[in-house]
Amino acid sequence: MGQCGITSSKTVLVFLNLIFWGAAGILCYVGAYVFITYDDYDHFFEDVYTLFPAVVIIAVGALLFIIGLIGCCATIRESRCGLATFVFILLLVFVTEVVVVVLGYVYRAKVENEVDRSIQKVYKTYNGTNPDAASRAIDYVQRQLHCCGIHNYSDWENTDWFKETKNQSVPLSCCRETAKSCNGSLANPSDLYAEGCEALVVKKLQEILMHVIWAALAFAAIQLLGMLCACIVLCRRSRDPAYELLITGGTYA
């Protein structure tokens, strides 16, 4: 009965190690996605420490490759030392992922204040030229999120760019995709996106952090199962004399 329980735990443990390899790739992808997306919105988000959860989750993904290798070798060879090391490393990674979840929630709560503080500056520096990084960022966000201005398109009237151009028009990136003849003129507000960008940028950044949080929670649960199976194998290997004799090739007297 004990041997059957150990075999089942070992089978589950080997399967979980394969999952760890797949999880490692997914975690690295999630972390890379956060970095790439952040690069598109970095002008609206000054606190670079919000990238810390993404950095940690990429590091955890890389470590899971190593954990999977150690776990497979230790399980196949039934190494007590290897399994103990496997459990210890899994515990460290589990704690790290809990930290990622906590940091993700902390930074998610800070997003709105961060964006509110920086978006005003970005819009004030808009000059409409393509080489300008801030201008490209604003045009990109307005096209991608289908928004115009900070709260709505009328915010453009308070910018230096609008006052200098004196043509009563907003950037073409404010034009709806369906408005083919749109030239950004405030005389035709129906051609412009009505929603402001601030709320949508906040929502987008919070969604990104939620990806990190859910990924960390999902794989933390898998790691708990992995630690449980490894502990079962370790405990029964230590306490079951029949199993010890089977491993060493001995017989009962």
Side-chain angles (χ1 to χ4, degrees):
M1 188 73 175
Q3 178 61 30
C4 181
I6 293 172
T7 302
S8 299
S9 297
K10 283 171 59 181
T11 302
V12 173
L13 195 54
V14 171
F15 179 68
L16 283 173
N17 284 317
L18 296 177
I19 292 179
F20 287 154
W21 281 332
I26 294 173
L27 288 176
C28 288
Y29 170 79
V30 170
Y33 169 75
V34 172
F35 270 102
I36 293 170
T37 308
Y38 180 88
D39 187 55
D40 294 330
Y41 296 89
D42 62 347
H43 284 83
F44 304 93
F45 208 65
E46 296 177 347
D47 189 357
V48 294
Y49 293 107
T50 50
L51 283 175
F52 187 67
V55 173
V56 174
I57 208 169
I58 288 176
V60 168
L63 189 57
L64 278 179
F65 278 112
I66 301 172
I67 291 173
L69 181 61
I70 293 174
C72 277
C73 292
T75 304
I76 293 171
R77 297 182 63 183
E78 294 166 348
S79 167
R80 184 181 301 175
C81 180
L83 284 171
T85 302
F86 175 70
V87 171
F88 178 72
I89 296 175
L90 270 185
L91 181 61
L92 288 179
V93 174
F94 176 78
V95 171
T96 303
E97 288 184 332
V98 171
V99 172
V100 168
V101 171
V102 172
L103 288 176
Y105 272 108
V106 169
Y107 289 131
R108 189 173 181 272
K110 292 173 60 179
V111 164
E112 189 169 355
N113 290 333
E114 282 290 324
V115 173
D116 183 60
R117 188 175 65 196
S118 60
I119 198 168
Q120 301 277 353
K121 300 176 185 176
V122 181
Y123 270 83
K124 283 182 179 179
T125 59
Y126 185 87
N127 61 22
T129 59
N130 194 50
D132 181 68
S135 297
R136 286 201 312 272
I138 289 173
D139 286 332
Y140 173 83
V141 166
Q142 292 190 151
R143 288 193 182 98
Q144 290 297 312
L145 301 183
H146 297 172
C147 57
C148 183
I150 299 172
H151 303 105
N152 55 58
Y153 57 80
S154 65
D155 292 326
W156 279 104
E157 296 181 67
N158 300 319
T159 63
D160 294 335
W161 173 82
F162 184 89
K163 294 172 184 176
E164 288 171 5
T165 55
K166 298 179 181 179
N167 59 7
Q168 298 297 304
S169 297
V170 297
L172 294 179
S173 55
C174 281
C175 292
R176 295 178 183 272
E177 291 180 345
T178 54
K180 302 301 181 182
S181 59
C182 177
N183 59 4
S185 174
L186 291 178
N188 299 304
S190 59
D191 290 344
L192 309 175
Y193 294 121
E195 193 169 359
C197 294
E198 182 176 3
L200 294 178
V201 169
V202 169
K203 182 181 177 182
K204 182 68 175 181
L205 291 172
Q206 288 179 336
E207 285 177 355
I208 293 169
L209 287 174
M210 281 306 298
H211 289 323
V212 174
I213 291 170
W214 282 114
L217 282 174
F219 295 118
I222 295 173
Q223 285 164 226
L224 274 178
L225 183 58
M227 285 188 285
L228 178 63
C229 291
C231 286
I232 290 173
V233 174
L234 272 173
C235 291
R236 290 190 176 179
R237 189 180 189 280
S238 301
R239 295 177 183 177
D240 193 341
Y243 180 64
E244 288 290 340
L245 287 170
L246 180 65
I247 296 300
T248 57
T251 57
Y252 285 114

